[in-house]
Amino acid sequence: MYALDPATLLVLSIVVPPTILSVADIAMEFPHGLATPPSSGHRHGGTSTEVIPGLTEFYHREPHREGAPAPLCYLPSSLHAIKPSDRLVRDWETVLRPKVLSALSEYDVQPRSILPIHQRGTLIRGGETILINAPSAHHKDDNWFHAVMDMRQFFGSIGWTDLIVEISDREEMLLKTWAIRRGEPIVEQWPGIRDLLLQQLKVNEGATLESMSIFRRGKSEERVECPLTIVLTAPEVYGLMIIQNQIRRTLDSNGYNEIGLEIVRGKVIRNAIASIDPLCTDNHQLAAGMGVSIGPKNTCESGTLGGYIYLRYPSGERVQLGLTCYHVVRPGIVGHHKADCDASGIEVASAIGRAVTLTQPSKTDHEDIKKTRKESISSVGARLGVLESRLEDMKMKILHGIKSDDQAQPIRSAIESENVQLSKLEKLKSSSKEFYQQFSSFGHVFAASGFHRSPENHQMDWALIEIDEKRRPPNSRVPTHDKKGRELVALDKLYRPTGPPTLETSVWKKGRTTEFTRGMISHLKVDVFPDGMASGQPSTEWVIVDERGTRNWWFSEAGDSGSMVVNHDSQLVGLLIGGCEALCFTYMTPYAALVADIEQKTGGIVELED
């Protein structure tokens, strides 16, 4: 499970409002670009909409992306195939494609690809589009503009007035996200900036908002060259776009005109599913270890079993329990109890908790693994059939003296290798089926937080699992190496951290979906708005990004919720509770807040391997 819907992602820039050079009620004020570094103490960049000479339409321009008619659709967009019945098929090869090629050649635009496609966005819907991918490094003067204008004028003259032309360099539009480091001036300035923005947002009750954070964002490989950028995440961006000028004026009037501003479209949810590696063997082990699949029985939901903790009670009793997120187990709660559990959590050893049975692996993941192993067996069988046919042919040639026996040896070796693989797959298929039938029941909910705030304003989202006797003893050892053999930690036991999270050392996790990943904790936390309203009270969460800046990199994805976050000293740093895929960062509840809430709820003392 994960705390963000990947189907509703859209990155927009509001570094500056668009420059409208024509009739305002036609050229809508919708910015589309990515954040660009401020210059000379002022923000600049964004998009502009211009009148094309000779045409009664508008031209769209933003960093690394241009086209007409404006406005182009929001990114990321969805691409849909051209059907044989579409009129574009009729005219593409004979009329449209030759003109596209000649215009690009005449104005020295060097395309990587040219794709006629249906492109769809949100709010601005898009349509039939000539999508030209070209390196912006070769973008000189106004050659993209002239090429687009030439094509559009020709298309208009032959009745293709609605055919969109877009030239873009999507690779250059990707930004990297860098953590804020200890000692940067913004660390001391951020509390004041944050209060100003929260005050500004509270007076706009109609605006929706999911999170507010600050990073260094840009395309440079050097962290210090990427500008400070405040990022607002919202399920619908229109309300924030209306007040973007107010937000910008608030920053400028307080002397923060060097800080960029960016809006990211995304919605926080708690029931996302992502696929798992179907050939992974970790999920069918009697002693389940860190980072394996887990899910409520008779549901389609999946999450991560982070690992294990101990609760010690005054009586001396010491209980070992599994740890995951509350939103991972929540789908197993009977419907009419969910609201109460969300507000108050699940009490220790209650009837509600005992009714929530967890399977390991989850039902969905077991079925996916079974399906893929079946497909793999079929594929190996097909390859064996081809090899055996070739071997029979080779034997006939050997019999007639055309080939030697030595020449048949590579085929025999290949057959032997495929038979070994087939035998392994058959055993895995049989053993995993038997395992799931006999041992899939992992346990039930011992206690859970529900959704509430800690005294430090962190969102609490944890659940403890009482482990079934058939699955004891669990594998509580910490992996010391990832699957590529790279060392994670020197010790295979889990320890308490010696202090709050810092970014002096990197962290890692093992999750159901992305398995082993490494990252860095940003020194400034993110504000997350669970109720989705900008006027609401945000929670404050630690955030993890890539050590090298993020560009199409994820510390976690859907299904990784519940993972333990560990540093290189084998210390449990926190619990992974969600993230923002549009910005490639992850939310984490720190160890101290997590333990304090568990102890308050259960009445026990949390202990680890030490």
Side-chain angles (χ1 to χ4, degrees):
M1 297 191 181
Y2 206 57
L4 189 109
D5 178 6
T8 58
L9 301 179
L10 180 64
V11 177
L12 306 173
S13 169
I14 54 173
V15 177
V16 299
T19 303
I20 307 300
L21 302 180
S22 185
V23 184
D25 60 347
I26 298 177
M28 295 187 294
E29 192 170 344
F30 289 149
H32 307 274
L34 296 172
T36 53
S39 177
S40 305
H42 298 283
R43 300 180 188 86
H44 68 80
T47 65
S48 62
T49 307
E50 310 167 20
V51 175
I52 296 181
L55 292 177
T56 56
E57 66 184 26
F58 297 88
Y59 187 79
H60 179 106
R61 176 174 284 156
E62 64 180 83
H64 311 291
R65 188 179 185 227
E66 299 185 13
L72 298 179
C73 68
Y74 289 153
L75 295 179
S77 58
S78 59
L79 302 180
H80 302 265
I82 301 295
K83 298 179 181 178
S85 57
D86 290 345
R87 60 175 185 151
L88 196 57
V89 175
R90 180 195 65 198
D91 292 345
W92 174 245
E93 289 292 341
T94 58
V95 181
L96 302 176
R97 183 173 178 271
K99 179 58 184 178
V100 171
L101 292 174
S102 67
L104 295 176
S105 175
E106 180 177 353
Y107 295 103
D108 195 25
V109 178
Q110 302 175 27
R112 296 189 186 101
S113 63
I114 302 170
L115 177 67
I117 201 75
H118 283 288
Q119 183 173 213
R120 299 176 188 170
T122 56
L123 294 181
I124 300 170
R125 300 303 298 176
E128 291 178 317
T129 303
I130 308 301
L131 194 59
I132 301 164
N133 181 15
S136 54
H138 298 145
H139 184 189
K140 47 193 175 184
D141 300 325
D142 282 329
N143 62 333
W144 283 14
F145 171 82
H146 292 301
V148 171
M149 184 176 68
D150 189 9
M151 285 181 255
R152 285 291 302 155
Q153 287 176 328
F154 174 76
F155 296 159
S157 70
I158 60 172
W160 278 93
T161 55
D162 56 348
L163 183 58
I164 300 166
V165 180
E166 176 184 327
I167 303 178
S168 58
D169 188 343
R170 299 293 178 94
E171 294 178 9
E172 283 297 320
M173 295 172 71
L174 295 173
L175 295 182
K176 301 191 76 171
T177 301
W178 296 92
I180 302 298
R181 292 186 180 276
R182 185 195 302 272
E184 291 192 59
I186 191 63
V187 172
E188 294 184 1
Q189 297 168 351
W190 178 241
I193 298 173
R194 175 180 177 272
D195 290 344
L196 286 171
L197 294 182
L198 289 177
Q199 292 172 13
Q200 181 71 67
L201 292 166
K202 282 181 179 179
V203 300
N204 294 275
E205 296 187 358
T208 58
L209 186 64
E210 297 290 345
S211 69
M212 178 172 67
S213 54
I214 185 166
F215 300 96
R216 288 191 175 274
R217 295 265 290 164
K219 291 185 284 294
S220 175
E221 297 297 325
E222 297 295 328
R223 191 188 70 86
V224 294
E225 294 180 4
C226 295
L228 292 168
T229 305
I230 294 171
V231 184
L232 304 178
T233 306
E236 295 297 337
V237 299
Y238 185 71
L240 287 178
M241 290 162 64
I242 292 175
I243 63 171
Q244 62 177 285
N245 288 332
Q246 300 173 21
I247 299 171
R248 189 165 43 254
R249 282 195 296 268
T250 298
L251 291 171
D252 290 345
S253 63
N254 286 275
Y256 300 119
N257 55 350
E258 289 283 352
I259 299 177
L261 187 61
E262 186 178 345
I263 288 181
V264 176
R265 186 172 185 268
K267 182 172 175 59
V268 172
I269 61 171
R270 289 184 166 85
N271 59 350
I273 301 175
S275 60
I276 192 173
D277 178 6
L279 297 178
C280 176
T281 60
D282 293 352
N283 284 295
H284 291 86
Q285 302 291 331
L286 196 61
M290 289 180 65
V292 296
S293 163
I294 195 170
K297 186 178 181 180
N298 298 324
T299 74
C300 296
E301 308 299 331
S302 301
T304 295
L305 171 67
Y308 302 92
I309 67 169
Y310 296 87
L311 280 183
R312 184 180 293 278
Y313 287 94
S315 63
E317 181 186 13
R318 192 170 189 253
V319 183
Q320 188 176 27
L321 302 163
L323 176 65
T324 188
C325 283
Y326 168 69
H327 75 259
V328 171
V329 306
R330 184 179 183 271
I333 301 172
V334 177
H336 63 279
H337 289 305
K338 282 184 179 177
D340 290 340
C341 291
D342 288 351
S344 305
I346 298 177
E347 299 302 322
V348 172
S350 67
I352 294 176
R354 287 194 297 271
V356 182
T357 300
L358 284 306
T359 63
Q360 193 289 305
S362 70
K363 179 182 178 182
T364 298
D365 290 338
H366 172 71
E367 292 298 324
D368 284 348
I369 292 169
K370 183 171 70 173
K371 177 182 177 183
T372 298
R373 285 177 179 162
K374 182 179 179 181
E375 292 172 350
S376 297
I377 289 170
S378 177
S379 178
V380 172
R383 292 199 300 270
L384 271 172
V386 172
L387 288 170
E388 288 169 350
S389 177
R390 288 177 58 192
L391 183 60
E392 289 300 317
D393 182 59
M394 181 67 73
K395 286 178 178 179
M396 290 297 295
K397 291 179 179 179
I398 293 170
L399 184 64
H400 290 86
I402 300 173
K403 297 285 186 179
S404 68
D405 191 67
D406 290 343
Q407 290 176 295
Q409 189 55 42
I411 300 177
R412 293 192 182 99
S413 297
I415 290 175
E416 183 180 353
S417 176
E418 293 289 358
N419 276 316
V420 169
Q421 185 175 2
L422 183 62
S423 177
K424 288 181 179 178
L425 286 169
E426 291 282 6
K427 288 179 180 178
L428 283 173
K429 178 184 174 184
S430 175
S431 62
S432 61
K433 178 181 179 180
E434 182 179 348
F435 175 88
Y436 198 78
Q437 289 174 344
Q438 296 185 25
F439 304 111
S440 62
S441 180
F442 183 71
H444 60 265
V445 175
F446 178 79
S449 63
F451 298 125
H452 69 273
R453 303 288 177 82
S454 71
E456 302 84 6
N457 198 35
H458 300 304
Q459 176 73 46
M460 290 293 103
D461 182 3
W462 57 264
L464 299 178
I465 304 167
E466 186 169 351
I467 307 159
D468 194 297
E469 286 298 329
K470 292 188 296 184
R471 300 299 297 269
R472 291 181 179 276
N475 179 11
S476 58
R477 291 291 180 256
V478 176
T480 57
H481 294 76
D482 63 18
K483 289 199 169 183
K484 294 183 179 180
R486 296 173 297 194
E487 184 175 89
L488 299 169
V489 291
L491 303 171
D492 65 352
K493 293 183 179 181
L494 202 60
Y495 294 90
R496 291 169 292 182
T498 55
T502 67
L503 55 79
E504 275 68 27
T505 57
S506 60
V507 294
W508 63 271
K509 72 97 184 68
K510 181 176 183 288
R512 161 201 175 270
T513 308
T514 55
E515 294 235 342
F516 295 100
T517 54
R518 301 168 187 258
M520 177 179 286
I521 299 173
S522 183
H523 198 66
L524 289 179
K525 295 182 279 292
V526 60
D527 289 297
V528 182
F529 294 75
D531 57 4
M533 298 304 297
S535 57
Q537 178 61 37
S539 67
T540 305
E541 312 298 346
W542 288 93
V543 63
I544 301 170
V545 298
D546 187 14
E547 295 170 297
R548 303 151 298 175
T550 54
R551 181 184 287 167
N552 278 2
W553 174 95
W554 292 267
F555 183 77
S556 64
E557 293 186 31
D560 285 329
S561 287
S563 301
M564 286 181 168
V565 180
V566 182
N567 67 19
H568 287 270
D569 293 320
S570 295
Q571 295 173 344
L572 176 57
V573 177
L575 179 69
L576 194 159
I577 62 170
C580 177
E581 289 181 332
L583 291 174
C584 307
F585 60 62
T586 294
Y587 305 143
M588 179 197 77
T589 303
Y591 174 85
L594 174 69
V595 167
D597 201 62
I598 291 175
E599 292 181 344
Q600 182 179 17
K601 185 75 172 179
T602 64
I605 302 298
V606 173
E607 295 180 349
L608 302 177
E609 287 293 330
D610 58 339

